[in-house]
Amino acid sequence: MRKLVSIELFKIFSKPRTYIGFGAVIIIVLAIEFGILLEGDTMVGIIIQNIKDRFIFEGNIINLYLVSYIILNTLWIHVPILVALVTGDMLAGEANSGTFRLILTRPISRVQLVLAKFIAGWIYAVLLVAVMAILSIGIGLILFGPGDLLVVTNKVNIFSSNDLLWRFAGAYAYGVLSMTTVAALSFLLSSFADNSIGPIIGTVAMIIGITIISTVGAILLGPVNQYIFTSYLPSWQLFFQTDSGLSSIGHAILIQLIYIVGFLSVTIWYFRKKDILS
Amino acid sequence: MIGYTLPAQDAESLLKAVGQNMDKILRFEADALVKVDVDFINIKDRKIKVRFECPDKFTFEAEGLALLPKKGLQMDYLQLLKAKYTAIDVGEELVDNRKTRIIKVIPEAEDSDVILAQLWIDPELSRIMRMKTYTRKSGSYIIDFEYNTNFRPLPDRLTVSFEINNMAFPTKAMNEIMTKGIQKPDSIPKKATVIVQYSNYKIVNK
């Protein structure tokens, strides 16, 4: 299995499109970091206007943690696109080039092949999130330095810097989990298709489409939304809430795991019957 | 409260005594523990270093990010007492078991942010025990002063109380919007209290 995964990883990293993902993450992180360096005061000023009328903020508000927190928001739309770019191609690409019949002449089962490809795709997603984390924190440290984190959601939460390491570790780990769900979805769509454009665009369209529908129709779809995986893509934010946040993380993780197992099971079931000869 | 009125001169001399008491200080330095109690703000107590230099220069040094009340921490009453004002003595009241005189101060400057201030002054020690201020820009706020000693004109504990509107949050937690729907912001003003506990005063008098 390990050899199969390394072969799949070799395939992934032989394709130029893989590096588009890493390049895009570098550009996104740099753009956000320098954007905040230039306009951060104005942006934060607007967000905390109400409190600034009554309070003086003493200390460094714009610091590496705030910037990293803002960059984490790209886990919602930007990073899923980059994940789908590679994982959407993993089965459909091989079907398109007709290499399945060659690969499967070797003594490996279809299930093993699907699992190896999925693990390789998952490693790519982990690397993407890891690069994002290392760059945000590294460049943030150089440009802004450390400090306490100000998070404005439905409340104003100010976290001490010594209380942040585990929260960011949790948020990035959750980011990996939610990107695994995205990878599993695009992997599923990839198993249905014979070229990679459909699964990549399909994954992105599904994420954006479901997100728009469930946000606009939040009142109508409220009960259903609780079970849709896109509702939990931004759930890394729960690590930065003080009250009900942490208790909801378990539910979010469970939903993501159910979808991952579900998508992967359907992929295996479908791929086992898939006609690879025509 | 006993409702009798003293001549304006008495009210003014009382305020003058408070001003003179504070004017003795050239500079001071103190540690402070700031506790913010607002319904929609979660922040742990913060340690800060407060430095004052005559006549009105304050600097704060915080460990991390601290929220300090805009009014009340920088001896705003000194500015008030140094400008022209009309003072009216409106009676007596017990504050923190000390007999105080209540003085209403109306600034004469048209552009003054303070519209009216009410001070509860301990006439024996010439110290402010409580202050309620009505301003144009920042609404009203009350400051309670607590002292551990009789010799120091600076408080050991300040409690600043005011009202603050809940924020019209521009960045709601997306997770909450998607699972619970968009909720209207609470428009009822919330009570805010900031307690500042001072310690390790180092005072240099003129």
Side-chain angles (χ1 to χ4, degrees), chain A residues 83-122:
Chain A
V83 170
L85 197 66
V86 167
T87 50
D89 176 59
M90 293 192 76
L91 291 170
E94 300 259 15
N96 188 33
S97 53
T99 44
F100 274 135
R101 66 191 80 173
L102 191 69
I103 296 168
L104 291 169
T105 52
R106 292 186 302 169
I108 52 161
S109 69
R110 289 191 183 199
V111 177
Q112 280 178 311
L113 182 68
V114 168
L115 287 176
K117 279 186 177 292
F118 182 73
I119 292 168
W122 176 76

Side-chain angles (χ1 to χ4, degrees), chain A residues 17 20-21 24 28 74-88 124 128 179 182 186 199-201 203-205 207-208:
Chain A
R17 76 169 65 195
I20 294 174
I28 289 168
T74 59
L75 282 173
W76 198 18
I77 297 290
H78 304 77
V79 182
I81 294 173
L82 303 175
V83 170
L85 197 66
V86 167
T87 50
Y124 165 75
L128 218 51
M179 290 310 103
V182 172
S186 60
I200 296 167
I201 293 179
T203 307
V204 175
I207 292 170
I208 295 174

Side-chain angles (χ1 to χ4, degrees), chain B residues 1 40-41 46-47 52 67 71 81-82 91 98 112 148 172 178 189:
Chain B
M1 196 190 299
F40 60 89
I41 298 176
R46 290 289 195 270
K47 284 180 186 167
F52 167 77
L67 275 185
K71 299 285 179 185
L81 299 182
K82 278 174 187 165
R98 288 198 71 87
S112 167
N148 293 345
K172 280 269 185 192
M178 294 175 76

Side-chain angles (χ1 to χ4, degrees), chain A residues 33-34 36-37 60 62-64 67 139-146:
Chain A
E33 300 254 6
F34 282 99
I36 291 172
L37 187 67
N60 181 17
I62 301 172
N63 54 57
L64 83 96
V67 175
I139 299 173
L141 189 63
I142 295 165
L143 293 181
F144 306 101

Side-chain angles (χ1 to χ4, degrees), chain A residues 21-38:
Chain A
F22 292 109
V25 165
I26 293 168
I27 290 168
I28 289 168
V29 171
L30 285 175
I32 294 175
E33 300 254 6
F34 282 99
I36 291 172
L37 187 67
L38 297 173

